[in-house]
């Protein structure tokens, strides 16, 4: 711990792990010392002074155990990235803020004489149980009347074992105070034997442990909540991954189209997950040979993460494929996608690029909806295509999407990507770095080689979102 301590407690820094470990070691050594004192106090079982000394030693040991547990929590720190805590009904009313010397105010003592049926309580025990100090103390027969119904059998068993079998008492039960507060009380006691060896009386030390038990319960409930949250997250991720794998193109690696006749396009794509790992987004890529001989090229991104977003992405991608197969041109296709997203029950925003490649004229007809424009590489250099007008999908009803045409040449390379490649720097930075790969693309033999270069450039980035890249190389 730093030696430069501020006089203001509120500005003090929390102790480091090494300092807490040292405190834990000191607490455990002190427990050993107290335990040795307790053993020395067992020479005369009938001496009231030594009984009280043993009781105080027992109490000190319990307090040191509690201190050890709290220091362990301080050392280990709170659970990482906890979810929003669930509301848990309070089982016990909040006790009043402890004042100086509050430890003594939470510890009381009692003795019950079985021969005279008399009882003696300390003033602190009246305070713990919330009873009027002027009232007579409760007898052993009356004590269960202030204990919660479900805890009475526990108290009865402890007292019976003590009185009949001369066994020490060490247990907890909850009491209901007259003001309605519920307190958890830990009781330690022993029988006092008469000259004939029978139990003449019973003495006990009672401690209010409500605050400690509430803290332990809160830690346990937080842990359980985290476990449930972790299980839900793992389940949702598994479902999202399975759904994503089911709807993205079945081909992996490279693809050459058309399947029949001379090849005109060499294609490759890759999905780059977020560095967080647990987040599955709504990114997609697609390349599909259409019935009229043209090729559909598309990438897109639905905002958000999780199963609902992945499901929405599957809906959009299915709509893109169906409309493209029916001959819908990119501009109209975007307009209908916008209408579809606008009509969904849960509003969302999306971006996309959709193009149709016409092999007979080597022309790319394309449209975009608030998405990074495709990049064209030719002869070792690259440039961004001029984007036709188009707003984000779902941003406004009745939006109109323009479309553009780009004449391509053999050897040209078209690159489409989603906007998660360069974390926190937007499309401009991603485009700059992608265009910087132009000389290397010029020496690549296949579209798959180009995709590998993109993955090498962006694959290890600290991305907070998923990303996709699709490369199409004109071969004929």
């Amino acid at each position: 711990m730093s030696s430069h301590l501020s006089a203001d407690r509120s500005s003090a820094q929390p102790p480091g792990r090494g300092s807490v470990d040292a405190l834990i070691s000191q607490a455990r050594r002190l427990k050993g010392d107290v335990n040795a004192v307790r053993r020395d106090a067992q020479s005369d079982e009938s001496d009231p002074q030594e009984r009280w000394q043993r009781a105080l030693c027992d109490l000190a040991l319990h307090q040191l155990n509690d201190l050890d547990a709290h220091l362990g929590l301080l050392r280990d720190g709170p659970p990482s990235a906890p979810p929003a805590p669930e509301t848990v009904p309070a089982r016990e009313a909040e006790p009043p803020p402890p004042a100086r010397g509050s430890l003594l105010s939470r510890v009381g003592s009692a003795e019950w004489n079985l021969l005279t049926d008399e009882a003696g309580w300390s003033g602190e025990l009246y305070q713990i149980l919330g009873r009027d100090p002027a009232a007579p103390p409760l007898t052993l027969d009356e004590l269960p009347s202030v204990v919660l119904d479900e805890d009475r059998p526990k108290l009865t068993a402890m007292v019976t074992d003590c009185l009949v079998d001369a066994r020490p008492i060490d247990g907890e039960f909850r009491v209901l105070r007259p003001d309605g507060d519920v307190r958890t009380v830990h009781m330690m006691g022993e029988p006092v034997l008469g000259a004939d060896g029978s139990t003449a009386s019973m003495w006990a030390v009672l401690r209010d442990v409500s605050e400690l038990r509430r803290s332990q319960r809160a830690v346990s409930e937080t842990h359980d909540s985290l476990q449930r949250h972790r299980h839900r997250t793992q389940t949702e991720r598994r479902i999202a991954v399975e759904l994503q794998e089911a709807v993205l193109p079945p081909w992996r690696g490279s693809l050459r189209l058309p399947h029949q006749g001379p090849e005109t396009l060499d294609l490759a794509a890759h999905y780059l997950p977020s560095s967080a790992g647990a987040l599955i987004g709504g990114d997609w890529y697609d390349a599909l040979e259409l019935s009229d001989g043209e090729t559909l090229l598309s990438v897109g991104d639905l905002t958000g993460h999780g199963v609902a977003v992945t499901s929405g992405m599957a809906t959009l991608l299915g709509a893109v494929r169906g409309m493209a197969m029916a001959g819908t041109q990119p501009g109209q296709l975007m307009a209908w996608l916008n209408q579809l997203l606008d009509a969904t029950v849960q509003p969302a925003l999306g971006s996309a690029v959709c193009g149709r490649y016409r092999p007979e004229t080597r022309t790319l007809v394309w449209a975009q909806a608030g998405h990074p424009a495709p990049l064209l590489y030719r002869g070792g250099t690259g440039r961004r295509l001029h984007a036709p007008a188009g707003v984000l999908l779902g941003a406004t009803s009745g939006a109109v999407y323009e479309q553009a045409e780009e004449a391509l040449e053999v050897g040209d390379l078209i690159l489409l990507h989603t906007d998660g490649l360069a974390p926190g720097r937007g499309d401009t930075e991603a485009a700059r770095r992608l265009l910087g790969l132009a000389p290397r693309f010029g020496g690549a033999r296949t579209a798959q080689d180009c995709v590998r270069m993109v993955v090498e450039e962006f694959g290890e980035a600290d991305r907070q979102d998923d990303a996709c890249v699709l490369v199409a190389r004109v071969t004929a």
Side-chain angles (χ1 to χ4, degrees), residues 26 98 119 141 182 188 208 272 282 287 304 378 394 398 423 447 451 453-454:
Q26 292 176 18
D141 291 334
V182 174
M188 295 181 296
D208 185 347
L272 293 87
R378 178 181 294 166
V451 167
M453 295 175 190
V454 174

Side-chain angles (χ1 to χ4, degrees), residues 62-77:
H62 276 276
Q63 295 287 354
L64 288 169
N65 285 332
D66 294 344
L67 177 61
D68 194 2
H70 282 305
L71 286 173
L73 292 175
L74 178 62
R75 177 191 60 192
D76 299 335

Side-chain angles (χ1 to χ4, degrees), residues 137-359:
L138 299 178
T139 66
L140 281 179
D141 291 334
E142 295 170 332
L143 184 61
S145 66
V146 300
V147 177
L148 295 189
D149 291 346
E150 54 266 36
D151 289 357
R152 286 177 186 171
K154 185 189 308 182
L155 173 64
T156 300
M158 289 191 297
V159 172
T160 300
D161 289 343
C162 180
L163 300 182
V164 175
D165 299 327
R167 294 172 57 181
I169 287 179
D170 188 347
E172 293 182 6
F173 51 87
R174 290 167 297 169
V175 297
L176 178 63
R177 292 160 43 115
D179 59 6
D181 286 353
V182 174
R183 298 293 179 88
T184 300
V185 176
H186 179 253
M187 183 166 73
M188 295 181 296
E190 291 184 1
V192 178
L193 303 181
D196 60 354
S198 63
T199 302
S201 64
M202 188 186 83
W203 63 268
V205 174
L206 296 96
R207 181 168 62 120
D208 185 347
V209 294
S210 304
E211 186 175 350
L212 173 63
R213 296 298 174 255
R214 184 166 43 252
S215 299
Q216 292 173 336
R217 192 163 55 245
V219 170
S220 176
E221 288 166 352
T222 299
H223 179 266
D224 292 344
S225 177
L226 282 174
Q227 288 294 97
R228 291 193 298 270
H229 176 76
R230 200 170 287 123
H231 178 71
R232 285 197 303 269
T233 300
Q234 292 171 348
T235 301
E236 289 179 359
R237 172 177 168 75
R238 175 179 55 79
I239 294 173
V241 169
E242 291 175 354
L243 181 57
Q244 182 188 68
E245 291 179 348
V247 299
L248 288 181
W251 52 273
R252 296 293 185 266
S254 60
L255 174 69
R256 298 180 185 274
L257 295 177
H259 295 295
Q260 303 295 329
E263 296 173 353
T264 59
L265 285 181
D266 172 24
L267 300 120
H270 191 78
Y271 179 89
L272 293 87
S274 70
S275 58
L279 302 176
I280 300 296
D283 293 64
W284 84 78
Y285 64 86
D286 200 19
L288 181 66
E289 184 179 358
L290 303 176
S291 57
D292 57 6
E294 297 181 0
T295 298
L296 167 71
L297 302 175
S298 74
V299 297
D301 179 14
L302 193 62
T303 57
H305 300 90
V307 176
V309 171
T310 308
S311 177
M313 177 271 287
T315 300
L316 288 185
L317 182 53
V320 169
R321 290 170 174 169
M323 288 187 285
M325 192 64 74
T328 307
Q329 294 302 301
Q332 183 61 59
L333 188 151
M334 288 295 181
W336 285 345
L337 272 187
N338 179 67
Q339 185 176 346
L340 173 64
L341 198 57
D342 186 58
T344 56
V345 176
Q346 294 184 345
L349 292 175
S351 66
V353 165
C354 181
R356 296 175 69 102
Y357 176 69
R358 299 170 179 170

